[in-house]
Amino acid sequence: MPDAVMPDARGHFGAFGGRYVPETLVPALDELLATYLACREDAAFLARLADVQRHYVGRPTPLYHALRLGDKVGCDVYLKREDLCHTGAHKINNALGQALVAKRMGKPRVIAETGAGQHGVATATACALLDLRCDVYMGEEDIRRQALNVHRMHLLGARVLPVTSGTRTLKDATNEAMRDWVANVRDTHYIVGSVVGPHPFPMIVRDFQSIIGREARAQFAEAMGGLPSVVTACVGGGSNAMGMFHAFVPDAGVRLVGVEAAGRGVETGEHCATLSVGRPGVLHGSRSYLLQDGDGQVLPSHSISAGLDYPGVGPEHSHMKETGRAEYVSVTDDEALVGFQMLSRTEGIIPALESSHAIAHLTTLAPTVPAGGSALLCLSGRGDKDMETAVGALGLGNALNGGQ
Amino acid sequence: MTRLMRSLEALRSRGDRALICYLMGGDPTPARAAEIVVAVAEAGADVIELGIPFSDPLADGPSIQAAGQRALNAGTTVPVCLDIVRQVRRTVATPIVLMTYLNPILSYGLQRFAADAAQAGADGAILVDLTPDEAREWQEAAAAAGLGTVFLLAPTSTPERIRLVGRLCTGFVYCVARTGVTGARVDLPPDLPELLARVRAETDKPVGVGFGISTAEQVRTVAELADGVIVGSALVNVVAEAGDSPDAAPAAAELVRSLKAGTRRA
């Protein structure tokens, strides 16, 4: 794992991050930090992690030169195929890493929050592999729109606990997971699924996901003999983007572009474009950009993709926005559906609706890519889980019958 | 010494213990909430904790979550809660501590909130998700305004954390009785005496104990150990049952009278 220059010892990324939690959790976060720092230096831990990454997750994932997609959007495109990870998304990179840390802390029970269900499935998978008890909090709305993943979690031996408060999506599932952790902190580890939450979670999740960018950077250099002009990924909480970006942060010539969900349009108020239109605040344990009203109440968010449907974002992204190292843009539900179909038909790859946001933005990005340059995109997950939503949104029988 | 500390000291010196009553500001409506606070104070509450609602109260159980949602639906904001304090202060001298989460206060402005809260007549504030580690700016703002700061301790707190929290509390130390969220429970945690002993070993500040205390019997037991006994969800439930009606204030007052009997020493 790379040396982390950020965050500072107390979890700050510039003005963001930190640790804003009820006192009950402070000792657990200290224990997690100490254990994790020891793991990071421990050859046996790192060897075990490398072994499961290679033989269980299927790493390294391919870097794929998407020629037909490139022709369509108008620039050279490489896809980092995290959709080919075991369980179908990048989430397994973090879930397995943290489950190994939980095992080392001797905690027999794991909890997680999930939106699209991909982190829930990844956590349930890691817990099955490592013989840990697993409870996953999931909003009722998400249980409805991601039913396939609920069945997968059940089959893997996890309990899925429906959350009926608030907007019944990822934010509320995270609230319930935090409440459970406060109550059961002595025997339970909370596997936070994105680069959010109190210190040390944003750092730990980034470190476990940063393998994406390290592999992609080396694979790109091998294929092309240099660096891509632009690296892009979708951003909800921001774990696949941070995992992809991290290795490229020191490469000043490489543009980093995060794509948020503009939902029904930023102007409608029904979106999750946190970095684009939010302002700094504190939610779920860290200071970061946040969708909130003038009184500091968190606003409900909307996205067609459950995995991006979250009013917060990782603190390191807020820092990278503030310093200008990364740019953040947003793409609507409708545009994402265009991206979803475009990749399916040009390359025979059905992307997750989350990743489809980044695909869709390629069309805007392509004219800004210099001649001879390339765009590198993190294809964070596959789209099987989204069939029902996509069929509904696109009109039954149209897209899926090969109609125009 | 602040009014809050004077009041707790006075109770302690005559062998009494403080009954600390939590109510959600703006529940069921801002006007009713002010009525309820006055009735609860007159019924014998020694300290009022007035909640400012937040959309994502992650240390609260179902009762206080629902109360916060009712208050938000009724249009409750930080300024509305400060108005409630101002109104109550016309007739009531009981110390009032505002209790909420950090984000609404950050949004209002830390300095501005400390100054406005003190001016409205509040004695202190508790920000549940702000621990001493991140609290420097808040402490400076509160100290400048003369507003007391109360931080939480938990059963998981180490001796170092207990010392740190004890040092920074300028009202009382809020000791969370159990690992978990707020809400009425059937039993008190069996390790409560041991927890209080650990806290007393590290700080001589007055200690209030809360989370899961709802009956007169439980109040009596906890009053043997602590300087203050905090009751929240049980009161909030009484308010919820009464709904937006004139019955809420007398119903809450009746519960407070029965609870207060538990803090008085024979």
Side-chain angles (χ1 to χ4, degrees):
Chain A
M1 265 170 254
D3 289 336
V5 288
M6 282 276 188
D8 71 13
R10 285 166 55 202
H12 298 111
F13 302 89
F16 302 99
R19 188 185 271 180
Y20 298 89
V21 291
E23 178 68 27
T24 310
L25 294 180
V26 170
L29 294 168
D30 284 340
E31 179 194 13
L32 174 61
L33 177 62
T35 307
Y36 172 69
L37 292 177
C39 287
R40 207 157 73 162
E41 304 299 322
D42 180 53
F45 179 90
L46 295 175
R48 172 84 169 117
L49 180 64
D51 182 68
V52 290
Q53 283 169 340
R54 181 177 169 83
H55 299 290
Y56 188 75
V57 178
R59 305 207 71 90
T61 57
L63 183 75
Y64 171 65
H65 194 183
L67 291 169
R68 294 222 326 122
L69 176 67
D71 281 347
K72 179 89 179 172
V73 300
C75 74
D76 205 29
V77 178
Y78 284 80
L79 302 178
K80 178 61 172 165
R81 296 291 307 274
E82 292 301 296
D83 60 317
L84 294 177
C85 287
H86 177 46
T87 72
H90 72 291
K91 293 291 186 188
I92 191 75
N93 300 327
N94 167 55
L96 264 175
Q98 282 200 54
L100 287 169
V101 174
K103 201 77 185 166
R104 183 155 169 151
M105 289 189 293
K107 305 226 168 170
R109 177 174 178 258
V110 157
I111 55 171
E113 85 295 336
T114 198
Q118 288 303 115
H119 175 57
V121 166
T123 302
T125 299
C127 288
L129 178 69
L130 298 176
D131 192 22
L132 295 161
R133 275 193 292 135
C134 179
D135 285 334
V136 179
Y137 286 93
M138 189 168 185
E140 262 193 345
E141 167 68 11
D142 290 336
I143 287 178
R144 187 189 59 73
R145 57 180 167 171
Q146 303 283 322
L148 174 66
N149 276 340
V150 176
H151 300 318
R152 293 168 80 194
M153 286 184 267
H154 285 153
L155 193 59
L156 291 161
R159 282 198 303 175
V160 179
L161 306 172
V163 175
T164 56
S165 55
T167 52
R168 305 172 184 211
T169 58
L170 182 53
K171 175 192 79 140
D172 309 286
T174 307
N175 288 341
E176 281 310 321
M178 287 267 195
R179 289 178 185 124
D180 181 313
W181 201 32
V182 170
N184 300 297
V185 60
R186 289 186 172 105
D187 77 340
T188 298
H189 176 60
Y190 177 15
I191 299 191
V192 171
S194 192
V195 286
V196 301
H199 179 60
F201 283 111
M203 172 179 76
I204 291 178
V205 178
R206 174 201 69 196
D207 287 355
F208 284 132
Q209 292 294 2
S210 65
I211 192 167
I212 302 172
R214 281 202 311 284
E215 284 179 5
R217 193 174 180 282
Q219 289 167 319
F220 191 92
E222 196 181 307
M224 297 287 290
L227 290 169
S229 314
V230 185
V231 176
T232 187
C234 63
V235 177
S239 70
N240 92 86
M242 192 52 67
M244 183 61 142
F245 291 173
H246 196 57
F248 293 96
V249 169
D251 302 319
V254 177
R255 277 174 73 196
L256 305 176
V257 180
V259 184
E260 296 191 301
R264 299 194 173 99
V266 167
E267 69 289 349
T268 65
E270 296 180 57
H271 60 82
C272 331
T274 308
L275 288 161
S276 307
V277 299
R279 63 189 171 92
V282 168
L283 179 69
H284 297 152
S286 62
R287 186 165 194 278
S288 193
Y289 273 76
L290 181 62
L291 294 177
Q292 54 182 320
D293 69 14
D295 296 311
Q297 306 297 341
V298 180
L299 288 168
S301 55
H302 162 82
S303 170
I304 190 169
S305 90
L308 302 182
D309 197 346
Y310 183 66
V313 68
E316 194 165 7
H317 282 296
S318 291
H319 178 63
M320 283 168 60
K321 173 192 162 81
E322 211 87 329
T323 60
R325 181 61 193 94
E327 309 153 44
Y328 296 90
V329 297
S330 63
V331 154
T332 64
D333 289 351
D334 289 345
E335 291 168 324
L337 285 166
V338 171
F340 179 76
Q341 296 171 91
M342 182 166 68
L343 185 64
S344 301
R345 293 187 188 183
T346 56
E347 299 288 352
I349 299 171
I350 301 174
L353 282 173
E354 289 78 12
S355 326
S356 300
H357 286 73
I359 303 281
H361 186 64
L362 281 175
T363 316
T364 312
L365 211 49
T368 70
V369 174
S374 307
L376 168 62
L377 183 147
C378 185
L379 188 60
S380 56
R382 70 180 186 218
D384 310 46
K385 70 185 175 59
D386 295 314
M387 271 318 122
E388 211 172 309
T389 303
V391 168
L394 291 167
L396 189 66
N398 178 10
L400 299 188
N401 287 337
Q404 295 305 301
Chain B
M1 201 179 348
T2 61
R3 169 166 49 189
L4 184 55
M5 293 180 86
R6 274 201 309 276
S7 149
L8 293 171
E9 290 286 325
L11 284 164
R12 183 143 69 166
S13 69
R14 60 174 197 263
D16 195 356
R17 298 291 181 264
L19 178 66
I20 302 173
C21 294
Y22 176 94
L23 294 161
M24 177 59 78
D27 174 33
T29 65
R32 288 264 183 250
E35 262 174 54
I36 297 166
V37 172
V38 170
V40 162
E42 286 171 351
D46 299 297
V47 177
I48 303 283
E49 277 180 14
L50 189 68
I52 300 175
F54 177 50
S55 53
D56 295 85
L58 54 80
D60 285 305
S63 296
I64 294 179
Q65 283 177 48
Q69 200 51 57
R70 289 192 298 272
L72 287 172
N73 294 344
T76 309
T77 59
V78 170
V80 167
C81 289
L82 296 181
D83 272 343
I84 294 173
V85 174
R86 245 175 249 118
Q87 272 186 55
V88 169
R89 268 286 163 263
R90 288 187 207 136
T91 53
V92 167
T94 310
I96 299 176
V97 178
L98 294 163
M99 184 163 182
T100 185
Y101 292 79
L102 179 58
N103 201 56
I105 304 311
L106 268 185
S107 180
Y108 190 85
L110 293 177
Q111 283 82 6
R112 181 177 163 222
F113 175 76
D116 290 358
Q119 197 177 31
D123 299 274
I126 308 169
L127 303 176
V128 178
D129 53 351
L130 185 67
T131 64
D133 316 75
E134 298 281 355
R136 179 185 286 188
E137 196 186 340
W138 164 239
Q139 281 169 250
E140 287 169 3
L147 192 71
T149 50
V150 175
F151 293 96
L152 275 63
L153 279 177
T156 51
S157 298
T158 58
E160 297 73 41
R161 297 289 304 175
I162 296 172
R163 275 198 297 280
L164 175 66
V165 165
R167 200 168 67 238
L168 298 183
C169 286
T170 57
F172 59 94
V173 174
Y174 191 131
C175 182
V176 172
R178 64 186 77 231
T179 54
V181 294
T182 59
R185 310 289 208 289
V186 175
D187 298 312
L188 289 173
D191 55 356
L192 194 57
E194 182 265 318
L195 171 61
L196 265 292
R198 281 196 289 126
V199 172
R200 298 288 198 196
E202 307 295 341
T203 178
D204 55 9
K205 296 268 171 69
V207 178
V209 174
F211 280 45
I213 302 167
S214 60
T215 67
E217 191 51 45
Q218 290 170 339
V219 168
R220 187 171 326 232
T221 308
V222 176
E224 298 288 326
L225 305 165
D227 303 297
V229 187
I230 304 162
V231 178
S233 294
L235 266 166
V236 161
N237 288 343
V238 166
V239 173
E241 276 165 36
D244 186 5
S245 85
D247 301 341
E254 189 187 323
L255 176 60
V256 169
R257 275 189 292 273
S258 77
L259 296 173
K260 181 60 198 168
T263 71
R264 294 204 178 93
R265 291 297 167 83

